[in-house]
Amino acid sequence: MHQTTHHEMSRSTLPVRVHLLLCSDDRILLATGDETSPAQWRLPSGNLEGQAASDAAVRIACEQAALVTTAEDVWLEHVAHHWVDKKEQLGLFFHVTRTHGPVTPAAPRRSRRLAWHPLDALPERFARPDQDVVNRWARGEFFSHGGWTARRTTTTLLPTGVFQAASTRPPSAPAASSRS
């Protein structure tokens, strides 16, 4: 019989979301609720559901936008480690490089609306984490983390060789890193 250790009990499961970056002519495809919904615009996204990440991106393209694409036509372009709504989440953002067929909402049963938005004039109600990623992706950044400011800790090696978590960055640490 397997006995649960303290390490196993404290291990968290990190939700992984797969997001699509669908672009055409300097525009990006975003999804929201129906026309009467006050919901925010978001990138089309979904859960892994036990699939390889690229296969999940293909499934999400089909389910949410009725797009036919292949795993060879989706490229991982950005990884985001966010703290959103009091939860930790990892986002994998795939650029869909080639599709077959028009972009239309996949199923009438889903009260989703898709629309193209210019990259230089994103909607006011664009979800902040998605907007941050789109802006970083447009600048060529591959990794980001957001929402961690109040929760951030750094690890400092004490002279005794013991690690201690500090509540602020060491004075020599940069405020943020970028691949500019």
Side-chain angles (χ1 to χ4, degrees), residues 13-19 46-49 53 56 80 88-92 94:
T13 56
L14 181 63
V16 178
R17 299 276 299 167
V18 174
H19 305 261
N47 294 320
L48 281 179
E49 296 185 11
E88 181 181 14
Q89 181 174 294
L90 188 71
L92 303 176
F94 284 87

Side-chain angles (χ1 to χ4, degrees), residues 33-151:
D34 63 28
E35 298 208 15
T36 62
S37 172
Q40 291 185 317
W41 288 98
R42 302 200 68 100
L43 294 167
S45 66
N47 294 320
L48 281 179
E49 296 185 11
Q51 297 174 291
S54 58
D55 292 338
V58 169
R59 174 183 48 80
I60 292 162
C62 181
E63 287 177 357
Q64 294 192 16
L67 291 175
V68 177
T69 190
T70 66
E72 291 78 26
D73 295 325
V74 295
W75 292 84
L76 181 63
E77 294 276 341
H78 193 85
V79 175
H81 187 203
H82 283 154
W83 183 263
V84 180
D85 299 327
K86 299 182 182 179
K87 291 183 236 161
E88 181 181 14
Q89 181 174 294
L90 188 71
L92 303 176
F93 294 79
F94 284 87
H95 181 212
V96 180
T97 61
R98 185 171 52 173
T99 62
H100 310 280
V103 178
T104 56
R109 63 178 162 48
R110 290 180 182 258
S111 61
R112 304 278 291 170
R113 185 168 62 107
L114 298 173
W116 292 100
H117 295 272
L119 281 168
D120 61 356
L122 295 169
E124 193 174 305
R125 289 183 297 118
F126 191 16
R128 187 175 305 270
D130 286 3
Q131 183 172 8
D132 180 58
V133 166
V134 168
N135 291 336
R136 289 172 181 274
W137 172 64
R139 291 192 305 259
E141 295 180 32
F142 182 75
F143 177 77
S144 64
H145 45 75
W148 289 94
T149 306
R151 300 187 52 81

